[in-house]
Amino acid sequence: MSTVTATLTPAPSAALPPPAEPKARGLGERLAPYAYVAPFFVIFGVFGLFPFAFTFYVALFDWNPIGDQVFIGADNFTRMFADPRFWNAAGNTVSIWALSTVPQLLLALVLAHVLNHARLRFALFFRMSVLVPYITSVAATAIVFAQLFDRDYGLLNWLLGLVGIEPIDFVQSTWGSHLLIATMVTWRWFGYTTLLYLASLQAVPRSVFEAAAIDGAGPWQRFRHITVPSLRPVIIFTVVTSTIGGLQIFTEPLLIASGAPLTCGAVRQCQTLTLFLYEQGFGQFEFGYGSAIGVALFAMVVVIAAINYVLSTRIKADR
Amino acid sequence: MSLRLPLLCATAVLALLAACTPGTGGGGEGDGKSFEFWSFSAINQKLTVDAYQAKHPDIQIKLTEVGTSTETAQSLTTALAGGKVPDLVLIQGDNLPQFVEQPQNFVDLRTLGADDIKGDYLDWVWEQSVAKGGEVLGVPTDVGGMAVAYRTDLFAAAGLPTDREAVSALWPTWDAFIETGKRYKAATGKAFTDNAATSVFYQAVNQVSEKYYSADRKLVYSTNPQVKAAFDLGIKAATAGITAGQSSFESAWSAGMAQGTYAAVSAPSWMLNSIRSTAPDTKGKWDIAKIPGASGNWGGSYLAIPKRAKNPQAAWNYIKEMQSPQGQLEHFSRVGALPSTPSVYQDAKLTDAKDPFFSDAPTGTIYTDSLLGLKPFYIGPDSAAIGQEFLNAITNVEQSGGDPATAWDDAVRNIKTAIGE
């Protein structure tokens, strides 16, 4: 606050008469800036901060929304750490995240490199096209992919059948359902990531690529020694954002196992943490336990954000 | 300022919260001429509402079809916890126990005269909406009853009889049902029924005299031999290779029904509407046979009035008129939901009812027969969760290669985790 005032207030000059002190600034004028920022903070307080703080509070109770609320301290957390369903959901979340993030970022990296190529025709068309999956509704995506991967009527199993492979039940098997969800996530997000990389690549002077080409560097060498290093900060950024996004994956697993949506299948084979939270909170109405899962999820996101902070400061220091 | 601002915000938030906190008044301050009604979608409640309004043009009914029965119960829970409640709400039987456990949220219908009409209803159905303190929370609108729907054309192709009496005679027991399935599979190479979990286990476990709770409301799901027997039947069907492994109501289940991937499906009375809308092109190819084993019930709904309702009296008038024996009989003629009022079970309107979609099967008598002689059991607050875990264990064996030998122990362990026992 003080530094800002210091730079904005002109230094008194001897040649000019000192500017008249603003006469008794009205209360309204002093409050005006706060009034301008107030809407955000009020809305944030009501819809962000309060529910957030309330979640921590509810997590300490055996909270029946239409009955009694009994204070039980940390019992929900002890129960959660001993609950195999929680660890199952955590494992599924990590597995789906790994299956979707790695191919997604690699694909985006290669695509961004190609789209940045100087001699690419209709570049704008291709650049816009990769964004189409991103603007498609996730529900529509899930319906289409669930049909493509269907055991009896799916296109994929039909193709596999042509080469004599038995139909695979993607939704009912653990690895199959993870693969199916990861494919959906990858398909939906790779365009967005590509554009992020592309934007960052555009800041690299074209002459660098040209000089490398003249020096005899092939496409692979240019990719390895120019594209990837210049994208390092944005790669870290996308790894972290997709990790946070991966922790919160919800709609895809909810929609693919339509018969048992809240558990994502008979043996919770694709139930993610958010889906487990939702099942406990809004399927079983165990608000306290659901809140405890929410708090655990929050802690994980904080840890990942901290890792992000450490990594990005390190990268700056390297340069 | 830096300290005062957060304080200011906090005050603003608190003020807003205070404004949002629901009133705890007893309700009843409405105009008495209108009421709001939450129902499920896809059960054609609108027809009944329209019929009522035609008779009472001065009453305004705002009908909201919230979603599936589960979604309706979820919305009701949220509303009871602090939102705007409807004056009248339809609650599905499986969702009822959790509300019966918390009777303070609802109008005790005895205060409006429920005792006078109690005798009109099947007593075991009525009992399910009575709370521990004797409060009556809901009036039953319909019951399920059970049967098996089967494809006559596919049965004929497999060399099985097609007449509904002869088909019923094929399976006096569930073991005979599974044997019939093996015969069908041997003749056609195709699946006999949609899945083992709902079409065998869920039907069989609803034919017991005591289910997951004992009559004195104690948990007995893991020790009750009747539950174990039903579970074993489910596993037997799952491992016999006679099922299509399609979980009920999933898209592949719907596609399979239209394409004749399976020939028989469990059919509580409310399922008939589902078959009609799922596979409209199969009209006339279906018929309905008796359920293996004895009588049984699966499903049914209740009408309740939340405590904070604005127009409880208008809602009660609607219940009294439309859920009377005559009202339920008319509802049966309109949409086929089976009355919960036994006095109309001999009425010609019910006994003569024939369903052209199901080869003119006498649905009224088939389903009411399955209810007579029924031994009622107590349904508790965790019944739905327990049933779901049993279903999951059978589905795991059937569809995901789970080990049938450990399925029962797995299910019991999962139930213990799920209900926090």
Side-chain angles (χ1 to χ4, degrees):
Chain A
M1 198 71 180
S2 57
T3 50
V4 174
T5 346
T7 44
L8 286 183
T9 316
S13 142
L16 292 166
E21 274 294 313
K23 253 187 283 171
R25 266 202 246 158
L27 185 69
E29 204 178 324
R30 274 194 289 139
L31 284 182
Y34 297 104
Y36 284 123
V37 296
F40 168 78
F41 282 100
V42 169
I43 290 173
F44 172 73
V46 172
F47 295 104
L49 201 60
F50 172 72
F52 174 73
F54 198 60
T55 304
F56 277 79
Y57 177 70
V58 173
L60 302 175
F61 285 80
D62 181 4
W63 190 288
N64 184 334
I66 57 168
D68 300 328
Q69 284 104 39
V70 187
F71 182 83
I72 52 168
D75 281 11
N76 279 326
F77 292 96
T78 11
R79 179 179 164 201
M80 182 175 75
F81 288 122
D83 189 343
R85 298 174 303 173
F86 174 77
W87 296 110
N88 169 61
N92 287 343
T93 308
V94 171
S95 157
I96 292 170
W97 165 78
L99 280 173
S100 61
T101 306
V102 176
Q104 185 204 138
L105 300 192
L106 288 179
L107 188 64
L109 211 53
V110 172
L111 262 177
H113 180 71
V114 173
L115 285 175
N116 193 41
H117 203 283
R119 279 176 301 176
L120 184 72
R121 283 174 154 238
F122 313 114
L124 190 66
F125 168 77
F126 288 116
R127 286 171 192 174
M128 296 314 289
S129 312
V130 295
L131 206 59
V132 169
Y134 175 66
I135 56 172
T136 310
S137 134
V138 59
T141 313
I143 289 164
V144 170
F145 274 83
Q147 290 190 355
L148 283 179
F149 282 77
D150 187 83
R151 185 190 62 189
D152 297 334
Y153 307 107
L155 183 69
L156 198 68
N157 272 321
W158 177 74
L159 287 173
L160 290 175
L162 291 183
V163 292
I165 298 174
E166 284 284 301
I168 299 165
D169 197 340
F170 285 97
V171 176
Q172 293 301 335
S173 64
T174 304
W175 69 270
S177 58
H178 291 190
L179 192 71
L180 169 52
I181 294 167
T183 311
M184 277 191 272
V185 175
T186 304
W187 185 80
R188 208 167 108 78
W189 286 93
F190 81 89
Y192 176 79
T193 317
T194 304
L195 286 199
L196 278 182
Y197 290 172
L198 188 60
S200 192
L201 269 187
Q202 305 257 300
V204 180
R206 195 155 296 286
S207 54
V208 175
F209 285 97
E210 281 161 7
I214 290 166
D215 287 346
W220 168 243
Q221 283 169 316
R222 291 201 296 270
F223 177 74
R224 239 192 92 189
H225 296 291
I226 306 175
T227 304
V228 173
S230 55
L231 285 181
R232 224 162 42 164
V234 73
I235 289 173
I236 299 281
F237 171 77
T238 51
V239 167
V240 170
T241 48
S242 63
T243 306
I244 293 172
L247 280 177
Q248 297 171 349
I249 187 164
F250 175 75
T251 320
E252 289 90 347
L254 181 74
L255 288 174
I256 61 158
S258 55
L262 293 188
T263 50
C264 196
V267 285
R268 301 171 187 271
Q269 65 265 30
C270 50
Q271 189 182 42
T272 57
L273 277 173
T274 40
L275 202 56
F276 183 48
L277 187 163
Y278 185 78
E279 185 212 355
Q280 292 305 312
F282 300 95
Q284 316 287 347
F285 288 114
E286 296 225 22
F287 276 22
Y289 194 48
S291 298
I293 302 163
V295 170
L297 207 55
F298 169 77
M300 287 182 220
V301 172
V302 168
V303 168
I304 288 161
I307 293 172
N308 175 38
Y309 177 76
V310 172
L311 282 178
S312 24
T313 36
R314 267 211 166 162
I315 281 183
K316 268 186 201 154
D318 278 1
R319 284 193 158 180
Chain B
M1 204 66 204
S2 57
L3 228 170
R4 254 181 289 161
L5 184 66
L7 267 178
L8 203 79
C9 288
T11 323
V13 170
L14 282 177
L16 264 166
L17 280 175
C20 301
T21 309
T24 43
E29 68 270 21
D31 55 11
K33 290 280 172 203
S34 64
F35 66 91
E36 207 180 326
F37 178 14
W38 284 5
S39 171
F40 331 135
S41 49
I43 58 156
N44 256 333
Q45 200 64 41
K46 190 170 188 320
L47 289 175
T48 304
V49 167
D50 288 346
Y52 187 76
Q53 282 195 310
K55 277 189 226 163
H56 304 274
D58 55 323
I59 304 285
Q60 289 302 312
I61 304 176
K62 185 168 175 266
L63 174 71
T64 307
E65 295 195 336
V66 179
T68 64
S69 53
T70 309
E71 284 161 357
T72 309
Q74 286 174 349
S75 300
L76 176 63
T77 309
T78 317
L80 292 175
K84 186 177 178 298
V85 292
D87 299 292
L88 184 65
V89 61
L90 192 65
I91 303 173
Q92 210 253 327
D94 281 353
N95 302 115
L96 189 69
Q98 69 183 76
F99 297 112
V100 172
E101 288 284 298
Q102 309 290 346
Q104 73 280 7
N105 294 301
F106 294 91
V107 171
D108 179 359
L109 297 179
R110 290 179 305 181
T111 61
L112 295 168
D115 286 337
D116 303 338
I117 59 168
K118 185 182 171 188
D120 290 343
Y121 300 87
L122 289 165
D123 50 359
W124 55 272
V125 180
W126 182 272
E127 282 306 315
Q128 286 173 13
S129 77
V130 177
K132 266 188 196 142
E135 300 96 334
V136 175
L137 301 193
V139 170
T141 59
D142 65 300
V143 286
M146 295 200 288
V148 177
Y150 65 97
R151 285 278 294 269
T152 50
D153 55 336
L154 299 179
F155 268 46
L160 292 170
T162 57
D163 172 68
R164 70 181 74 93
E165 294 298 325
V167 170
S168 301
L170 282 177
W171 50 61
T173 63
W174 281 107
D175 282 314
F177 181 81
I178 294 169
E179 288 308 313
T180 310
K182 287 180 181 162
R183 268 175 71 190
Y184 179 89
K185 172 93 180 189
T188 62
K190 290 200 294 183
F192 174 61
T193 187
D194 53 346
N195 64 66
T198 48
S199 272
V200 177
F201 167 71
Y202 232 53
Q203 303 261 73
V205 83
N206 277 307
Q207 296 178 311
V208 296
S209 60
E210 187 179 82
K211 202 169 151 188
Y212 307 138
Y213 290 82
S214 63
D216 55 353
R217 308 193 168 189
K218 298 222 165 55
L219 281 166
V220 294
Y221 63 92
S222 58
T223 52
N224 183 352
Q226 295 192 76
V227 172
K228 180 74 165 67
F231 186 86
D232 289 345
L233 279 171
I235 292 291
K236 192 173 174 189
T239 50
I242 59 164
T243 71
Q246 298 296 4
S247 300
S248 298
F249 312 113
E250 278 191 28
S251 54
W253 178 82
S254 307
M257 183 177 285
Q259 298 191 4
T261 307
Y262 44 85
V265 60
S266 76
S269 64
W270 45 264
M271 182 74 96
L272 301 187
N273 213 13
S274 180
I275 297 173
R276 262 185 230 114
S277 54
T278 303
D281 293 343
T282 57
K283 181 178 180 178
K285 294 178 179 169
W286 293 90
D287 206 328
I288 303 169
K290 284 191 178 126
I291 186 86
S295 48
N297 176 54
W298 177 9
S301 302
Y302 295 78
L303 279 173
I305 303 175
K307 185 80 113 199
R308 285 187 283 119
K310 284 207 166 65
N311 289 297
Q313 189 61 47
W316 175 251
N317 293 343
Y318 176 85
I319 294 179
K320 219 173 145 186
E321 182 166 336
M322 301 318 275
Q323 303 312 330
S324 68
Q326 277 310 311
Q328 291 208 6
L329 187 60
E330 282 166 31
H331 186 64
F332 171 78
S333 319
R334 277 189 297 264
V335 300
L338 198 66
S340 58
T341 49
S343 62
V344 299
Y345 286 179
Q346 302 303 322
D347 194 294
K349 265 191 199 163
L350 187 134
T351 53
D352 290 352
K354 288 191 167 36
D355 196 324
F357 194 96
F358 296 91
S359 310
D360 286 329
T363 48
T365 47
I366 290 174
Y367 286 105
T368 49
D369 281 354
S370 83
L371 291 174
L372 301 172
L374 182 137
K375 298 161 290 235
F377 47 78
Y378 170 69
I379 299 174
D382 287 321
S383 286
I386 295 168
Q388 188 60 49
E389 292 298 341
F390 278 133
L391 281 185
N392 287 347
I394 293 172
T395 305
N396 183 33
V397 170
E398 186 181 7
Q399 298 184 31
S400 310
D403 183 358
T406 62
W408 171 261
D409 293 335
D410 291 345
V412 169
R413 198 179 58 242
N414 288 339
I415 290 166
K416 287 203 159 93
T417 315
I419 66 178
E421 198 193 333

